[in-house]
Amino acid sequence: MAWTTPRTWTTGELVTKTIMDTHVRDNLTWLGAAAHAIWAQPHSVTGTGAVLSTNVTGATDYAAAECVDAQTNDIFFSVPIPAGFVSLTKAVLVIISKGTGNLRWLADSIFAADGESYIANGGSIAAANIAVTANQVKELTLQAGTLLTGLAAGDRLGLDFSRQGAHVDDTVTASVFVLGLLLEYSIV
């Protein structure tokens, strides 16, 4: 279904079901189905050499958190989930690697709504390797495993992305910069 330019109503016009469906119901449905998004930048980091507030080397317009080579670094996000949230349509971590190779990473989450234990819900993505290319933007999908299963409107999401740079399977011999977390969702 596509957006229909709303009609201009005239005085005395007989409004029919077909007219209302086309110009009101269908357009409201289209608006509700449109992508809604949350963009969150990293809130804190841990690990030797990790830097929270920096710029991607050679690209000073990108603010990021830096995960250094040969170390285990964790990048944390805290994200409120809006009241209109119904379901995730996309969940990715956006990174830029300064080297080419296999990036070893994993992720954990906790989330809860007002009045719940802060660790009421949560999940994880097991450690995995993903091929990255130097100086290219890469989206790491976060919709695998149990990481975000059960996420709901009103939750406060805590997300931990971990680069396992000291692991033998991490062959990226350079820093990896985490630009942010993108959550796209539907409201219908």
Short mmCIF file of all heavy atoms in Angstrom, two decimals, residues 99-161:
data_model
loop_
_atom_site.label_atom_id
_atom_site.label_comp_id
_atom_site.label_asym_id
_atom_site.label_seq_id
_atom_site.Cartn_x
_atom_site.Cartn_y
_atom_site.Cartn_z
N GLY A 99 41.18 -2.13 9.88
CA GLY A 99 41.95 -3.22 9.28
C GLY A 99 41.02 -4.23 8.64
O GLY A 99 39.81 -4.24 8.89
N THR A 100 41.57 -5.08 7.81
CA THR A 100 40.81 -6.14 7.14
C THR A 100 41.11 -7.46 7.83
O THR A 100 42.25 -7.73 8.22
CB THR A 100 41.22 -6.22 5.65
OG1 THR A 100 40.87 -4.98 5.03
CG2 THR A 100 40.53 -7.36 4.94
N GLY A 101 40.08 -8.28 7.98
CA GLY A 101 40.25 -9.58 8.61
C GLY A 101 38.95 -10.04 9.24
O GLY A 101 37.87 -9.56 8.89
N ASN A 102 39.06 -10.98 10.17
CA ASN A 102 37.89 -11.47 10.91
C ASN A 102 37.81 -10.75 12.25
O ASN A 102 38.78 -10.75 13.01
CB ASN A 102 37.97 -12.98 11.14
CG ASN A 102 37.71 -13.74 9.87
OD1 ASN A 102 36.87 -13.37 9.07
ND2 ASN A 102 38.45 -14.81 9.66
N LEU A 103 36.66 -10.19 12.52
CA LEU A 103 36.40 -9.54 13.80
C LEU A 103 35.70 -10.55 14.71
O LEU A 103 34.68 -11.12 14.33
CB LEU A 103 35.50 -8.31 13.59
CG LEU A 103 34.98 -7.64 14.86
CD1 LEU A 103 36.11 -6.96 15.60
CD2 LEU A 103 33.90 -6.64 14.50
N ARG A 104 36.24 -10.78 15.90
CA ARG A 104 35.64 -11.69 16.88
C ARG A 104 34.82 -10.82 17.85
O ARG A 104 35.35 -9.90 18.46
CB ARG A 104 36.73 -12.44 17.63
CG ARG A 104 36.25 -13.37 18.71
CD ARG A 104 35.75 -14.64 18.14
NE ARG A 104 35.49 -15.61 19.21
CZ ARG A 104 35.09 -16.83 18.99
NH1 ARG A 104 34.90 -17.25 17.77
NH2 ARG A 104 34.85 -17.65 20.00
N TRP A 105 33.52 -11.13 17.97
CA TRP A 105 32.66 -10.31 18.81
C TRP A 105 31.54 -11.14 19.44
O TRP A 105 31.25 -12.25 19.02
CB TRP A 105 32.07 -9.16 18.00
CG TRP A 105 31.05 -9.59 16.98
CD1 TRP A 105 31.30 -10.20 15.79
CD2 TRP A 105 29.63 -9.46 17.07
NE1 TRP A 105 30.13 -10.46 15.12
CE2 TRP A 105 29.07 -10.00 15.89
CE3 TRP A 105 28.77 -8.93 18.02
CZ2 TRP A 105 27.72 -10.03 15.64
CZ3 TRP A 105 27.40 -8.96 17.77
CH2 TRP A 105 26.90 -9.50 16.58
N LEU A 106 30.93 -10.57 20.45
CA LEU A 106 29.74 -11.13 21.06
C LEU A 106 28.94 -9.98 21.66
O LEU A 106 29.42 -8.85 21.73
CB LEU A 106 30.09 -12.19 22.13
CG LEU A 106 30.98 -11.78 23.29
CD1 LEU A 106 30.17 -11.19 24.43
CD2 LEU A 106 31.75 -13.00 23.78
N ALA A 107 27.72 -10.26 22.08
CA ALA A 107 26.88 -9.22 22.67
C ALA A 107 25.97 -9.81 23.74
O ALA A 107 25.55 -10.97 23.63
CB ALA A 107 26.05 -8.53 21.59
N ASP A 108 25.70 -9.01 24.76
CA ASP A 108 24.78 -9.39 25.84
C ASP A 108 23.83 -8.23 26.09
O ASP A 108 24.18 -7.07 25.84
CB ASP A 108 25.55 -9.67 27.14
CG ASP A 108 26.46 -10.86 27.03
OD1 ASP A 108 25.94 -11.98 26.84
OD2 ASP A 108 27.69 -10.69 27.12
N SER A 109 22.65 -8.55 26.60
CA SER A 109 21.69 -7.50 26.91
C SER A 109 20.97 -7.78 28.21
O SER A 109 20.87 -8.94 28.65
CB SER A 109 20.66 -7.39 25.78
OG SER A 109 19.82 -8.54 25.77
N ILE A 110 20.48 -6.72 28.81
CA ILE A 110 19.50 -6.81 29.88
C ILE A 110 18.46 -5.73 29.59
O ILE A 110 18.78 -4.69 28.99
CB ILE A 110 20.10 -6.61 31.30
CG1 ILE A 110 20.84 -5.30 31.41
CG2 ILE A 110 21.00 -7.79 31.67
CD1 ILE A 110 21.31 -4.98 32.83
N PHE A 111 17.21 -5.99 29.95
CA PHE A 111 16.19 -4.97 29.77
C PHE A 111 15.02 -5.22 30.70
O PHE A 111 14.72 -6.35 31.07
CB PHE A 111 15.73 -4.85 28.32
CG PHE A 111 15.39 -6.15 27.64
CD1 PHE A 111 14.10 -6.65 27.63
CD2 PHE A 111 16.38 -6.87 26.98
CE1 PHE A 111 13.79 -7.83 26.98
CE2 PHE A 111 16.08 -8.06 26.31
CZ PHE A 111 14.78 -8.54 26.32
N ALA A 112 14.38 -4.12 31.09
CA ALA A 112 13.26 -4.19 32.01
C ALA A 112 12.45 -2.91 31.91
O ALA A 112 12.96 -1.87 31.49
CB ALA A 112 13.77 -4.37 33.44
N ALA A 113 11.20 -3.00 32.33
CA ALA A 113 10.31 -1.84 32.36
C ALA A 113 10.23 -1.31 33.79
O ALA A 113 10.74 -1.93 34.73
CB ALA A 113 8.93 -2.24 31.86
N ASP A 114 9.60 -0.18 33.94
CA ASP A 114 9.38 0.43 35.25
C ASP A 114 8.73 -0.58 36.19
O ASP A 114 7.75 -1.23 35.83
CB ASP A 114 8.49 1.66 35.09
CG ASP A 114 8.31 2.41 36.39
OD1 ASP A 114 9.28 2.52 37.15
OD2 ASP A 114 7.18 2.88 36.63
N GLY A 115 9.29 -0.73 37.37
CA GLY A 115 8.73 -1.64 38.35
C GLY A 115 9.26 -3.06 38.29
O GLY A 115 8.94 -3.88 39.14
N GLU A 116 10.07 -3.37 37.27
CA GLU A 116 10.67 -4.71 37.15
C GLU A 116 12.11 -4.67 37.63
O GLU A 116 12.75 -3.62 37.62
CB GLU A 116 10.69 -5.17 35.68
CG GLU A 116 9.35 -5.45 35.07
CD GLU A 116 9.47 -5.95 33.63
OE1 GLU A 116 10.35 -5.47 32.88
OE2 GLU A 116 8.68 -6.83 33.28
N SER A 117 12.61 -5.83 38.02
CA SER A 117 14.03 -5.94 38.32
C SER A 117 14.82 -5.55 37.07
O SER A 117 14.45 -5.93 35.95
CB SER A 117 14.38 -7.39 38.70
OG SER A 117 15.77 -7.59 38.68
N TYR A 118 15.89 -4.80 37.23
CA TYR A 118 16.65 -4.33 36.06
C TYR A 118 17.25 -5.47 35.25
O TYR A 118 17.64 -5.28 34.10
CB TYR A 118 17.72 -3.33 36.46
CG TYR A 118 18.92 -3.92 37.16
CD1 TYR A 118 20.08 -4.22 36.45
CD2 TYR A 118 18.90 -4.20 38.52
CE1 TYR A 118 21.18 -4.76 37.08
CE2 TYR A 118 20.00 -4.74 39.17
CZ TYR A 118 21.14 -5.03 38.44
OH TYR A 118 22.23 -5.57 39.08
N ILE A 119 17.30 -6.66 35.81
CA ILE A 119 17.81 -7.83 35.09
C ILE A 119 16.69 -8.81 34.78
O ILE A 119 16.92 -10.00 34.62
CB ILE A 119 18.95 -8.51 35.87
CG1 ILE A 119 18.50 -8.91 37.28
CG2 ILE A 119 20.19 -7.63 35.91
CD1 ILE A 119 19.49 -9.76 38.04
N ALA A 120 15.46 -8.31 34.71
CA ALA A 120 14.29 -9.18 34.48
C ALA A 120 14.39 -9.95 33.17
O ALA A 120 13.95 -11.09 33.07
CB ALA A 120 13.01 -8.35 34.51
N ASN A 121 14.93 -9.32 32.15
CA ASN A 121 15.00 -9.93 30.82
C ASN A 121 16.41 -9.73 30.27
O ASN A 121 17.13 -8.83 30.68
CB ASN A 121 14.00 -9.26 29.87
CG ASN A 121 12.60 -9.25 30.42
OD1 ASN A 121 11.96 -10.28 30.51
ND2 ASN A 121 12.13 -8.08 30.83
N GLY A 122 16.74 -10.52 29.29
CA GLY A 122 18.03 -10.35 28.65
C GLY A 122 18.36 -11.52 27.76
O GLY A 122 17.61 -12.49 27.68
N GLY A 123 19.45 -11.39 27.08
CA GLY A 123 19.86 -12.46 26.18
C GLY A 123 21.27 -12.22 25.70
O GLY A 123 21.99 -11.35 26.20
N SER A 124 21.65 -12.99 24.70
CA SER A 124 23.02 -12.88 24.20
C SER A 124 23.13 -13.38 22.77
O SER A 124 22.26 -14.08 22.27
CB SER A 124 23.97 -13.69 25.09
OG SER A 124 23.63 -15.06 25.04
N ILE A 125 24.21 -12.99 22.15
CA ILE A 125 24.67 -13.57 20.89
C ILE A 125 26.02 -14.18 21.20
O ILE A 125 26.92 -13.50 21.72
CB ILE A 125 24.81 -12.50 19.78
CG1 ILE A 125 23.44 -11.92 19.40
CG2 ILE A 125 25.50 -13.10 18.56
CD1 ILE A 125 23.51 -10.83 18.36
N ALA A 126 26.16 -15.46 20.94
CA ALA A 126 27.41 -16.16 21.21
C ALA A 126 28.54 -15.58 20.38
O ALA A 126 28.32 -15.00 19.32
CB ALA A 126 27.25 -17.65 20.91
N ALA A 127 29.74 -15.74 20.86
CA ALA A 127 30.92 -15.25 20.15
C ALA A 127 30.92 -15.77 18.71
O ALA A 127 30.63 -16.93 18.45
CB ALA A 127 32.19 -15.68 20.87
N ALA A 128 31.21 -14.85 17.80
CA ALA A 128 31.21 -15.18 16.38
C ALA A 128 32.28 -14.35 15.67
O ALA A 128 32.74 -13.33 16.19
CB ALA A 128 29.84 -14.90 15.77
N ASN A 129 32.65 -14.80 14.49
CA ASN A 129 33.60 -14.07 13.65
C ASN A 129 32.86 -13.52 12.45
O ASN A 129 32.01 -14.19 11.86
CB ASN A 129 34.71 -15.00 13.16
CG ASN A 129 35.45 -15.66 14.30
OD1 ASN A 129 35.65 -15.06 15.34
ND2 ASN A 129 35.84 -16.90 14.09
N ILE A 130 33.20 -12.28 12.08
CA ILE A 130 32.61 -11.69 10.88
C ILE A 130 33.72 -10.99 10.10
O ILE A 130 34.59 -10.33 10.70
CB ILE A 130 31.46 -10.72 11.22
CG1 ILE A 130 30.73 -10.28 9.97
CG2 ILE A 130 31.96 -9.54 12.04
CD1 ILE A 130 29.38 -9.67 10.20
N ALA A 131 33.70 -11.16 8.79
CA ALA A 131 34.71 -10.54 7.94
C ALA A 131 34.44 -9.04 7.83
O ALA A 131 33.31 -8.62 7.62
CB ALA A 131 34.70 -11.18 6.55
N VAL A 132 35.50 -8.25 8.00
CA VAL A 132 35.41 -6.80 7.85
C VAL A 132 36.52 -6.35 6.90
O VAL A 132 37.55 -7.01 6.76
CB VAL A 132 35.52 -6.07 9.21
CG1 VAL A 132 34.32 -6.38 10.08
CG2 VAL A 132 36.82 -6.41 9.93
N THR A 133 36.28 -5.22 6.26
CA THR A 133 37.24 -4.64 5.33
C THR A 133 37.65 -3.27 5.85
O THR A 133 36.79 -2.49 6.30
CB THR A 133 36.63 -4.52 3.92
OG1 THR A 133 36.20 -5.82 3.51
CG2 THR A 133 37.62 -3.95 2.93
N ALA A 134 38.91 -2.97 5.77
CA ALA A 134 39.43 -1.69 6.27
C ALA A 134 38.68 -0.51 5.67
O ALA A 134 38.41 -0.47 4.47
CB ALA A 134 40.92 -1.58 5.95
N ASN A 135 38.31 0.42 6.55
CA ASN A 135 37.72 1.71 6.19
C ASN A 135 36.34 1.61 5.56
O ASN A 135 35.90 2.56 4.91
CB ASN A 135 38.67 2.49 5.28
CG ASN A 135 40.00 2.73 5.95
OD1 ASN A 135 40.06 3.10 7.11
ND2 ASN A 135 41.08 2.47 5.23
N GLN A 136 35.66 0.49 5.75
CA GLN A 136 34.29 0.36 5.25
C GLN A 136 33.31 0.30 6.42
O GLN A 136 33.58 -0.34 7.44
CB GLN A 136 34.13 -0.89 4.39
CG GLN A 136 34.87 -0.78 3.07
CD GLN A 136 34.56 -1.96 2.15
OE1 GLN A 136 33.80 -2.86 2.50
NE2 GLN A 136 35.17 -1.96 0.98
N VAL A 137 32.17 0.97 6.24
CA VAL A 137 31.11 0.89 7.24
C VAL A 137 30.52 -0.52 7.20
O VAL A 137 30.28 -1.07 6.13
CB VAL A 137 30.00 1.93 6.95
CG1 VAL A 137 28.83 1.77 7.90
CG2 VAL A 137 30.57 3.34 7.03
N LYS A 138 30.32 -1.10 8.37
CA LYS A 138 29.79 -2.46 8.47
C LYS A 138 28.67 -2.46 9.51
O LYS A 138 28.80 -1.85 10.57
CB LYS A 138 30.90 -3.43 8.90
CG LYS A 138 30.49 -4.87 9.05
CD LYS A 138 30.37 -5.54 7.71
CE LYS A 138 30.18 -7.03 7.86
NZ LYS A 138 29.98 -7.68 6.57
N GLU A 139 27.58 -3.14 9.19
CA GLU A 139 26.48 -3.32 10.13
C GLU A 139 26.53 -4.75 10.67
O GLU A 139 26.48 -5.70 9.89
CB GLU A 139 25.13 -3.05 9.46
CG GLU A 139 24.94 -1.61 9.06
CD GLU A 139 23.55 -1.32 8.49
OE1 GLU A 139 22.79 -2.27 8.20
OE2 GLU A 139 23.24 -0.13 8.33
N LEU A 140 26.63 -4.88 11.99
CA LEU A 140 26.59 -6.19 12.63
C LEU A 140 25.16 -6.42 13.10
O LEU A 140 24.64 -5.66 13.92
CB LEU A 140 27.52 -6.24 13.84
CG LEU A 140 28.99 -5.89 13.61
CD1 LEU A 140 29.76 -5.99 14.92
CD2 LEU A 140 29.60 -6.79 12.56
N THR A 141 24.51 -7.46 12.57
CA THR A 141 23.13 -7.70 12.95
C THR A 141 23.03 -8.20 14.38
O THR A 141 23.82 -9.03 14.82
CB THR A 141 22.42 -8.67 11.98
OG1 THR A 141 21.05 -8.77 12.36
CG2 THR A 141 23.04 -10.06 12.00
N LEU A 142 22.05 -7.66 15.09
CA LEU A 142 21.84 -8.02 16.49
C LEU A 142 20.55 -8.80 16.69
O LEU A 142 20.06 -8.93 17.80
CB LEU A 142 21.82 -6.75 17.35
CG LEU A 142 23.09 -5.92 17.32
CD1 LEU A 142 22.91 -4.66 18.15
CD2 LEU A 142 24.29 -6.72 17.80
N GLN A 143 19.99 -9.32 15.61
CA GLN A 143 18.73 -10.04 15.72
C GLN A 143 18.92 -11.55 15.75
O GLN A 143 17.98 -12.29 15.56
CB GLN A 143 17.79 -9.61 14.58
CG GLN A 143 17.29 -8.19 14.81
CD GLN A 143 16.43 -7.69 13.68
OE1 GLN A 143 16.94 -7.29 12.64
NE2 GLN A 143 15.14 -7.73 13.88
N ALA A 144 20.12 -11.99 16.05
CA ALA A 144 20.39 -13.42 16.19
C ALA A 144 20.35 -13.78 17.68
O ALA A 144 20.30 -12.91 18.55
CB ALA A 144 21.76 -13.75 15.60
N GLY A 145 20.40 -15.04 17.96
CA GLY A 145 20.42 -15.49 19.35
C GLY A 145 19.20 -15.00 20.11
O GLY A 145 18.13 -14.79 19.55
N THR A 146 19.39 -14.80 21.40
CA THR A 146 18.28 -14.35 22.26
C THR A 146 18.48 -12.90 22.69
O THR A 146 17.79 -12.43 23.60
CB THR A 146 18.21 -15.23 23.52
OG1 THR A 146 19.45 -15.12 24.23
CG2 THR A 146 17.94 -16.69 23.17
N LEU A 147 19.40 -12.19 22.07
CA LEU A 147 19.82 -10.87 22.52
C LEU A 147 18.66 -9.92 22.80
O LEU A 147 18.62 -9.27 23.84
CB LEU A 147 20.77 -10.24 21.51
CG LEU A 147 21.40 -8.93 21.94
CD1 LEU A 147 22.40 -9.17 23.06
CD2 LEU A 147 22.09 -8.26 20.77
N LEU A 148 17.70 -9.83 21.89
CA LEU A 148 16.62 -8.85 22.02
C LEU A 148 15.24 -9.50 22.10
O LEU A 148 14.22 -8.81 21.99
CB LEU A 148 16.70 -7.85 20.87
CG LEU A 148 18.03 -7.08 20.79
CD1 LEU A 148 18.12 -6.27 19.52
CD2 LEU A 148 18.22 -6.21 22.02
N THR A 149 15.20 -10.81 22.30
CA THR A 149 13.93 -11.52 22.38
C THR A 149 13.13 -11.02 23.59
O THR A 149 13.62 -11.01 24.71
CB THR A 149 14.16 -13.04 22.52
OG1 THR A 149 14.90 -13.49 21.38
CG2 THR A 149 12.85 -13.79 22.60
N GLY A 150 11.90 -10.58 23.33
CA GLY A 150 11.03 -10.11 24.39
C GLY A 150 11.10 -8.62 24.66
O GLY A 150 10.39 -8.11 25.52
N LEU A 151 11.94 -7.89 23.92
CA LEU A 151 12.04 -6.45 24.09
C LEU A 151 10.66 -5.83 23.84
O LEU A 151 9.99 -6.17 22.87
CB LEU A 151 13.07 -5.89 23.12
CG LEU A 151 13.47 -4.43 23.29
CD1 LEU A 151 14.17 -4.22 24.63
CD2 LEU A 151 14.37 -4.00 22.15
N ALA A 152 10.24 -4.90 24.71
CA ALA A 152 8.89 -4.36 24.62
C ALA A 152 8.88 -2.86 24.90
O ALA A 152 9.84 -2.29 25.43
CB ALA A 152 7.98 -5.08 25.62
N ALA A 153 7.78 -2.23 24.52
CA ALA A 153 7.57 -0.81 24.78
C ALA A 153 7.76 -0.54 26.27
O ALA A 153 7.31 -1.30 27.12
CB ALA A 153 6.17 -0.40 24.34
N GLY A 154 8.45 0.54 26.58
CA GLY A 154 8.66 0.92 27.96
C GLY A 154 9.89 0.30 28.61
O GLY A 154 10.25 0.69 29.73
N ASP A 155 10.53 -0.63 27.95
CA ASP A 155 11.75 -1.23 28.51
C ASP A 155 12.91 -0.24 28.47
O ASP A 155 12.93 0.67 27.63
CB ASP A 155 12.16 -2.49 27.72
CG ASP A 155 11.34 -3.71 28.07
OD1 ASP A 155 10.68 -3.71 29.14
OD2 ASP A 155 11.36 -4.67 27.28
N ARG A 156 13.86 -0.45 29.35
CA ARG A 156 15.15 0.23 29.30
C ARG A 156 16.17 -0.84 28.93
O ARG A 156 16.37 -1.78 29.68
CB ARG A 156 15.52 0.84 30.65
CG ARG A 156 14.92 2.20 30.92
CD ARG A 156 13.47 2.12 31.08
NE ARG A 156 12.89 3.38 31.56
CZ ARG A 156 11.60 3.53 31.65
NH1 ARG A 156 10.78 2.57 31.31
NH2 ARG A 156 11.11 4.67 32.08
N LEU A 157 16.77 -0.68 27.75
CA LEU A 157 17.69 -1.67 27.22
C LEU A 157 19.12 -1.32 27.60
O LEU A 157 19.57 -0.20 27.37
CB LEU A 157 17.57 -1.73 25.69
CG LEU A 157 18.63 -2.52 24.92
CD1 LEU A 157 18.58 -4.00 25.28
CD2 LEU A 157 18.45 -2.32 23.42
N GLY A 158 19.83 -2.29 28.16
CA GLY A 158 21.26 -2.18 28.37
C GLY A 158 21.93 -3.17 27.45
O GLY A 158 21.61 -4.36 27.48
N LEU A 159 22.83 -2.71 26.59
CA LEU A 159 23.49 -3.58 25.61
C LEU A 159 24.99 -3.48 25.76
O LEU A 159 25.54 -2.38 25.90
CB LEU A 159 23.08 -3.16 24.19
CG LEU A 159 23.65 -4.04 23.08
CD1 LEU A 159 22.84 -5.32 22.96
CD2 LEU A 159 23.68 -3.31 21.76
N ASP A 160 25.65 -4.63 25.73
CA ASP A 160 27.10 -4.72 25.83
C ASP A 160 27.63 -5.41 24.57
O ASP A 160 27.37 -6.58 24.35
CB ASP A 160 27.48 -5.52 27.08
CG ASP A 160 28.97 -5.85 27.18
OD1 ASP A 160 29.78 -5.35 26.39
OD2 ASP A 160 29.32 -6.65 28.08
N PHE A 161 28.37 -4.65 23.75
CA PHE A 161 29.08 -5.21 22.60
C PHE A 161 30.51 -5.45 23.03
O PHE A 161 31.16 -4.56 23.60
CB PHE A 161 29.05 -4.24 21.42
CG PHE A 161 30.06 -4.54 20.36
CD1 PHE A 161 29.84 -5.56 19.45
CD2 PHE A 161 31.26 -3.84 20.29
CE1 PHE A 161 30.79 -5.86 18.47
CE2 PHE A 161 32.21 -4.12 19.31
CZ PHE A 161 31.97 -5.14 18.40
#
